[in-house]
Amino acid sequence: MSGNDQAQRVAEAVRTVPMFRGLAPGAQSHIAGLATLRDFRRGEHLWHEGDPPESFTIVVRGRVKVVKEGESSDVIYELFGEGEPVGAIAVYNFMPYPAAAVALEPTTLLVLPRRDWFELLDRNPEFARAIIRELTRLVLGLTRKLDEMRGQTVETRIAQLFLTLAERIGRDTKEGTELPIQLTRQEVADLVGTTVESAIRVLSRWGREGVLLTGEKRFVIPSRARLRELAGAGGESTRGPLA
Amino acid sequence: MSGNDQAQRVAEAVRTVPMFRGLAPGAQSHIAGLATLRDFRRGEHLWHEGDPPESFTIVVRGRVKVVKEGESSDVIYELFGEGEPVGAIAVYNFMPYPAAAVALEPTTLLVLPRRDWFELLDRNPEFARAIIRELTRLVLGLTRKLDEMRGQTVETRIAQLFLTLAERIGRDTKEGTELPIQLTRQEVADLVGTTVESAIRVLSRWGREGVLLTGEKRFVIPSRARLRELAGAGGESTRGPLA
DNA sequence: GGTCGGACATGATGGCCGTCATATCCTCGG
DNA sequence: CCGAGGATATGACGGCCATCATGTCCGACC
């Protein structure tokens, strides 16, 4: 609980964040002097839609969903993992957060007050480039999500979701590809734009058929090729036998 | 046809682009010396998916759709109008264009070679800010589109599309709100993620009911309030009268 | 230990809409 | 002047999936 421990944790966090990794040690400790850490439990809100963004924030531990919470259903826009800045758009434009952020796991956030962040931005042009890179990633992720949500059947969309997750956070084990992420069926539904029941139907069938296994805080994909078939053959119009 | 005329047209274009408007006249004419103009007819491709981005481009006349062209159907990601940079992401990261761009109307493009553009970026930090602003606009537009595509009925989504268009490019006339944009039913379908037939069914019914009129290269919305009703009441569970 | 809430699961039903087929109108080119 | 192609339009049919209902399991909390 000593301030020293805290300071060391912050310094450690700053060192490991990709965005700051290339900086000189002096610059790093300067940033560490301005930043703080905040911890969240699973399910806890980092912020709500409409909140004013007081700080620039980076995920240093855990995972976060950015979610538009509707009265009857939610939409998950994007998932953020370790090392990624979250909510960058709102902070930069000083606009109310357009969506809420919720911790999917026990999560630690590196928090840099808005004012300090803008001073750093002025002094280090490469930070602007980091922001542009981050926004690029966002745009590409969203366009891919648009592709996925269109037309296709629910099964296809869920297959594509897990293939994407496999690429981003999958680890190969002897059972197959392991996804160390905790997602409820509701969250899977929100990610592909369907209802809980439909998500459940697909996932429980896949469990029986051995396509995708749900475990404690993880999923396992025995055969990615199998998933890829399901992802490809979705709503494709029964193309004539000769077409 | 004289080079002088060309040079004057370019200079004029540079002056009118929002991004360059704040610059000193000297800087503007410097840019004008590096840039060129290219004209496109309706339906012509500005580029195809996968092309390498050789230049930074801004729409100075007309309108452009950015579209993912699938074998069986297309998805329109975004529309770009006068003054807006198009394809900024691909140029900045020097990645192949992730989608094609097609002129919706006779269109003129201000073209700045990649190399020159990056030199300008290095010298003018405010250009980086302009890019960030543009990407922010993109992200917000895409998230809104995700909202719209989810769940709702086709009629609801088309209503939301035209409300959005009304905000962005609508002009009030005595007949109602006029949208000076030429869109085929196919393009409307691609914008909201449905089929031509469904789009036609909705639009022709709206024509009969006087909700939205299709004219020569334009649409007319007699009553926006009427459209707003249709946009709100889509798949929504009966929201109480007081909510 | 009992209760309450949340996550997971499964069946029945109805409607939206994607697909296919057909028809009209208009433009363009030979 | 006629045929081809494209945009618009309308009807029939069928399947996916949202909705509603019901039930089980399990951990949390008193």
Side-chain angles (χ1 to χ4, degrees):
Chain A
M1 61 157 295
S2 78
N4 243 343
D5 278 6
Q6 266 304 326
Q8 285 217 353
R9 282 187 64 209
V10 175
E12 162 76 10
V14 169
R15 264 197 307 279
T16 59
V17 167
M19 224 179 111
F20 301 139
R21 200 174 284 154
L23 295 181
Q28 283 184 351
S29 52
H30 174 62
I31 294 177
L34 304 170
T36 54
L37 294 177
R38 286 191 58 193
D39 294 308
F40 297 87
R41 294 186 304 275
R42 168 172 170 83
E44 210 173 345
H45 275 73
L46 281 57
W47 60 72
H48 292 85
E49 174 175 350
D51 285 355
E54 311 290 2
S55 320
F56 177 76
T57 52
I58 303 176
V59 177
V60 296
R61 181 181 67 106
R63 230 179 285 278
V64 166
K65 67 175 171 183
V66 168
V67 56
K68 185 87 169 184
E69 295 170 328
E71 34 200 309
S72 52
S73 71
D74 298 350
V75 191
I76 296 181
Y77 288 146
E78 188 56 281
L79 303 179
F80 292 84
E82 302 183 357
E84 298 172 340
V86 52
I89 289 188
V91 192
Y92 188 88
N93 300 53
F94 204 28
M95 69 199 318
Y97 284 115
V102 179
L104 285 175
E105 312 168 0
T107 294
T108 303
L109 229 51
L110 184 70
V111 177
L112 202 56
R114 228 182 85 79
R115 179 181 308 275
D116 298 332
W117 165 241
F118 275 102
E119 272 177 27
L120 288 174
L121 257 187
D122 280 345
R123 217 158 343 181
N124 306 60
E126 67 264 34
F127 282 178
R129 244 170 275 149
I131 294 293
I132 291 180
R133 226 179 304 123
E134 171 62 15
L135 292 185
T136 297
R137 206 178 64 82
L138 265 185
V139 170
L140 294 181
L142 287 172
T143 54
R144 206 202 24 227
K145 192 175 281 290
L146 267 180
D147 275 358
E148 293 174 1
M149 288 200 41
R150 189 189 43 105
Q152 319 270 5
T153 68
V154 166
E155 179 172 39
T156 304
R157 291 182 311 211
I158 297 184
Q160 283 166 338
L161 166 66
F162 279 99
L163 283 177
T164 304
L165 287 176
E167 275 174 35
R168 281 180 54 180
I169 60 171
R171 286 191 314 216
D172 284 350
T173 70
K174 59 191 63 157
E175 321 157 280
T177 303
E178 181 195 45
L179 305 178
I181 182 176
Q182 188 179 7
L183 289 177
T184 65
R185 316 270 141 156
Q186 178 67 61
E187 281 161 343
V188 171
D190 293 344
L191 276 164
V192 302
T194 183
T195 59
V196 207
E197 294 94 328
S198 293
I200 285 178
R201 269 180 247 271
V202 170
L203 291 180
S204 58
R205 181 160 46 79
W206 281 0
R208 285 193 298 271
E209 296 172 355
V211 174
L212 182 139
L213 311 174
T214 303
E216 288 289 313
K217 311 195 177 198
R218 64 169 200 165
F219 296 93
V220 175
I221 305 173
S223 159
R224 279 211 229 184
R226 184 80 182 284
L227 249 197
R228 229 173 278 123
E229 286 173 31
L230 295 173
E236 228 48 77
S237 46
T238 57
R239 72 188 62 235
L242 298 182
Chain B
M1 56 161 293
S2 77
N4 241 342
D5 278 4
Q6 266 304 326
Q8 285 218 352
R9 281 187 65 208
V10 175
E12 162 75 11
V14 169
R15 264 197 307 278
T16 60
V17 166
M19 222 179 116
F20 301 141
R21 198 173 284 155
L23 295 182
Q28 283 183 351
S29 52
H30 174 62
I31 294 177
L34 304 169
T36 54
L37 294 177
R38 286 192 59 195
D39 292 308
F40 298 86
R41 292 186 305 276
R42 166 171 173 83
E44 210 173 344
H45 274 74
L46 280 58
W47 59 74
H48 292 84
E49 174 175 350
D51 286 355
E54 312 288 3
S55 319
F56 176 75
T57 52
I58 303 177
V59 178
V60 297
R61 182 181 66 105
R63 232 180 284 279
V64 166
K65 66 175 171 184
V66 168
V67 55
K68 185 85 169 186
E69 295 170 327
E71 35 200 307
S72 53
S73 70
D74 299 350
V75 192
I76 297 181
Y77 287 148
E78 187 56 279
L79 302 178
F80 292 85
E82 303 183 357
E84 298 173 342
V86 51
I89 288 188
V91 193
Y92 189 89
N93 301 56
F94 206 28
M95 67 198 320
Y97 284 115
V102 179
L104 285 176
E105 313 168 1
T107 293
T108 303
L109 229 52
L110 183 71
V111 177
L112 203 56
R114 228 183 85 79
R115 178 182 309 274
D116 299 331
W117 165 241
F118 274 102
E119 274 178 26
L120 288 174
L121 257 187
D122 280 346
R123 216 157 344 175
N124 307 60
E126 66 265 35
F127 282 179
R129 244 169 277 150
I131 294 292
I132 292 180
R133 224 178 306 126
E134 172 63 13
L135 292 185
T136 297
R137 206 178 64 83
L138 265 185
V139 169
L140 294 181
L142 287 172
T143 53
R144 206 204 24 226
K145 194 176 279 292
L146 266 180
D147 275 357
E148 292 175 3
M149 289 199 41
R150 185 190 45 105
Q152 320 271 4
T153 68
V154 167
E155 180 172 38
T156 303
R157 291 180 312 207
I158 298 185
Q160 283 166 337
L161 167 66
F162 279 99
L163 282 177
T164 303
L165 287 176
E167 274 174 36
R168 280 180 54 179
I169 61 171
R171 286 192 314 218
D172 285 348
T173 70
K174 61 192 65 160
E175 320 157 280
T177 305
E178 183 194 44
L179 305 179
I181 183 176
Q182 190 179 7
L183 289 177
T184 65
R185 316 270 140 152
Q186 178 68 62
E187 281 161 342
V188 170
D190 294 343
L191 277 164
V192 303
T194 182
T195 59
V196 207
E197 294 95 327
S198 293
I200 285 178
R201 269 181 247 271
V202 171
L203 291 180
S204 59
R205 182 160 46 79
W206 282 359
R208 284 193 298 273
E209 296 173 355
V211 174
L212 182 140
L213 310 173
T214 303
E216 288 288 314
K217 313 197 177 192
R218 65 166 201 168
F219 297 93
V220 175
I221 305 173
S223 158
R224 280 212 227 183
R226 184 80 183 282
L227 250 197
R228 229 171 279 125
E229 286 174 30
L230 296 173
E236 223 50 73
S237 41
T238 60
R239 81 187 56 230
L242 298 182

